[in-house]
Amino acid sequence: RERERELWEIEKTLEVEGVLKKERERGQRETEIVLEGIRLGIEERGREMMMYVATMRREVEEVESRGDVLTSELDVLREREEERERERQHEKIERDLHRVRERERERERRLEEQGIAEECRDGWEEERARERE
């Protein structure tokens, strides 16, 4: 009986150990499944992030390209404005020159008139002097 009892205990111990072993294996399989899911999730998230980064790079390139275009347009506008400013300066110089020439002509006309007046005065004075004589 003692022997049977020992055998029974050994049998029960083996059964328990077998169950424990099966439970450990099942737990290990479940852990592997969870870890595989995590790995797949990480890979998927990595792919999503790579796609996001690629999209951001394209958007940055587009913005840089638009920036280059706007910079070129701005350069053209600056050149046009500089040309307009040169034209305005040229026109101002021409107006100033025209005014100076007009004043010079006016001055010459007055001098000419004065000269004529002086000649006339001189002539009248000579005539008066002759009349007096």
Side-chain angles (χ1 to χ4, degrees), residues 20-104:
L20 288 176
K21 183 179 176 187
K22 285 180 184 175
E23 284 298 313
R24 269 194 302 268
E25 289 172 355
R26 189 167 88 21
Q28 188 175 357
R29 278 194 309 275
E30 288 175 358
T31 301
E32 288 172 359
I33 289 169
V34 168
L35 290 175
E36 181 66 13
I38 291 171
R39 185 185 65 75
L40 292 174
I42 290 171
E43 286 178 0
E44 178 63 25
R45 185 68 178 140
R47 281 191 294 277
E48 289 172 2
M49 291 307 293
M50 287 171 49
M51 288 171 43
Y52 174 77
V53 167
T55 300
M56 288 297 105
R57 281 187 182 140
R58 279 192 302 277
E59 289 180 12
V60 165
E61 289 171 359
E62 289 172 6
V63 167
E64 286 174 345
S65 175
R66 281 189 298 234
D68 292 344
V69 167
L70 291 174
T71 299
S72 296
E73 289 175 0
L74 184 59
D75 290 343
V76 167
L77 291 174
R78 281 185 184 138
E79 289 172 10
R80 286 180 188 163
E81 185 57 32
E82 289 170 359
E83 179 62 28
R84 282 189 210 115
E85 184 59 30
R86 283 191 294 274
E87 288 173 6
R88 282 192 289 270
Q89 291 296 325
H90 182 73
E91 289 169 0
K92 183 182 181 299
I93 290 169
E94 285 181 352
R95 285 192 305 271
D96 291 347
L97 184 59
H98 180 72
R99 280 195 295 271
V100 166
R101 286 179 180 155
E102 282 295 316
R103 282 191 297 243
E104 183 65 26

Side-chain angles (χ1 to χ4, degrees), residues 7 83 85 107 112 132:
L7 285 174
E83 179 62 28
E85 184 59 30
R107 189 169 106 352
E112 190 176 301
R132 280 185 239 154

